[in-house]
Amino acid sequence: MLAKRIIPCLDVKDGRVVKGVNFVNLVDAGDPVAQAQFYDEEGADELVFLDITASTEARPILLDMVQRVAENIHLPFTVGGGVRTVDDMREILRAGADKISINTAAWQQPELISRGAEIFGSQCVVVAIDARRHGEHWELYTHGGRNATGGDALAWASEAQARGAGELLVTSMDKDGTRGGFDLPLLTALSETIHLPIIASGGAGAIQHFVDAVQQGQADAVLAASLLHFREIQIADIKKAFLENGIPTRYEQLSDRANQI
């Protein structure tokens, strides 16, 4: 089994990290570069930066922020928000990001997934899915969770996979910021539908929630924001819980390697 990753998510608005509940009521959570440096030292496996108003405001992503982050950390990181073209993808990667996350533009022009995977490799293309439950299915939302598409999230995940996406970043809008746990039914339904790695997002409130997302929801990575930004839970404690529950982590792999030297 591959190591399960713990990924802090930094939602960025006006150059600052913010966090809200159900995608609204945002509060300031610090400087993105300073937060990135903290997580680099804290033992995070990756980072995700999402410019949450770039699509709604129809503007480019903050490339200077991407460059500053790349200059100050060693962690791999993903950047999303306002990505509309292959050229946008290229600029973000050139600025220092390892992966690009696309959501709104991917839905509006699905060929962007295919072109990105063809030019940069599937490993660089992360398709973000913001989903809210409606009856027996989950509806896909775009523009930072503001616009309902009428599309089925599971069907869209299948199409993203077919078009060459390398990974899915799945946020439950019902769970986002509530701290009631990840959306296990959504994660399970997705893991039974596709074979891509799934990053679980939305709802973390306790260490056990991370364990449940991996063991019950079959997620390949777990993402959190406010719990980590405000230092309520430490990454080391999550990794310790993973080890205690037999979940492989990068921490475990590094420890094993150290013992062999």
Side-chain angles (χ1 to χ4, degrees):
M1 185 186 297
L2 294 176
K4 302 301 182 179
R5 293 164 289 151
I6 299 171
I7 306 176
C9 179
L10 297 95
D11 291 337
V12 179
K13 182 178 186 294
D14 301 326
R16 299 286 294 178
V17 178
V18 296
K19 190 56 192 142
V21 177
N22 301 126
F23 282 40
V24 295
N25 300 323
L26 302 178
V27 296
D28 188 275
D31 173 70
V33 177
Q35 288 280 25
Q37 290 176 311
F38 172 82
Y39 289 126
D40 196 1
E41 298 170 358
E42 183 79 354
D45 297 304
E46 296 180 20
L47 296 177
V48 169
F49 290 87
L50 299 177
D51 189 336
I52 61 173
T53 58
S55 292
T56 301
E57 297 171 0
R59 60 169 172 75
I61 202 159
L62 303 172
L63 288 177
D64 62 325
M65 181 203 74
V66 178
Q67 292 169 341
R68 288 188 295 118
V69 169
E71 291 168 357
N72 284 279
I73 69 170
H74 300 94
L75 286 177
F77 67 98
T78 300
V79 175
V83 180
R84 300 174 186 83
T85 67
V86 168
D87 286 340
D88 290 339
M89 293 178 157
R90 183 177 290 108
E91 287 188 359
I92 291 170
L93 292 172
R94 283 180 175 172
D98 299 272
K99 305 177 190 177
I100 310 103
S101 174
I102 49 177
N103 183 335
T104 301
W107 174 255
Q108 294 174 336
Q109 44 176 335
E111 66 276 7
L112 184 61
I113 304 172
S114 309
R115 290 287 292 149
E118 176 185 348
I119 296 171
F120 308 113
S122 292
Q123 77 283 353
C124 290
V125 181
V126 179
V127 172
I129 293 178
D130 296 334
R132 186 188 296 278
R133 185 151 198 165
H134 286 276
E136 297 302 312
H137 77 284
W138 287 270
E139 184 175 1
L140 180 73
Y141 281 69
T142 59
H143 296 86
R146 294 169 178 81
N147 294 358
T149 66
D152 181 83
L154 269 62
W156 173 235
S158 296
E159 181 173 350
Q161 174 177 269
R163 287 183 173 274
E167 193 166 31
L168 299 183
L169 196 173
V170 181
T171 301
S172 167
M173 294 179 63
D174 300 300
K175 293 287 190 174
D176 178 67
T178 64
R179 303 195 179 194
F182 292 94
D183 194 329
L184 300 181
L186 173 60
L187 294 174
T188 300
L190 280 166
S191 66
E192 293 174 350
T193 301
I194 62 167
H195 57 71
L196 290 180
I198 296 171
I199 303 172
S201 170
I207 290 176
Q208 185 62 40
H209 294 157
F210 295 93
V211 174
D212 292 342
V214 173
Q215 291 187 326
Q216 298 180 40
Q218 302 177 56
D220 299 274
V222 285
L223 180 147
S226 58
L227 270 186
L228 301 177
H229 298 339
F230 299 122
R231 319 300 185 229
E232 297 176 49
I233 288 181
Q234 303 298 314
I235 290 174
D237 292 332
I238 301 172
K239 292 196 172 187
K240 180 180 178 183
F242 277 14
L243 295 177
E244 291 173 347
N245 284 273
I247 300 170
T249 69
R250 182 171 173 271
Y251 171 82
E252 179 182 45
Q253 292 177 343
L254 291 175
S255 297
D256 289 346
R257 190 180 307 159
N259 291 333
Q260 294 170 2
I261 297 175

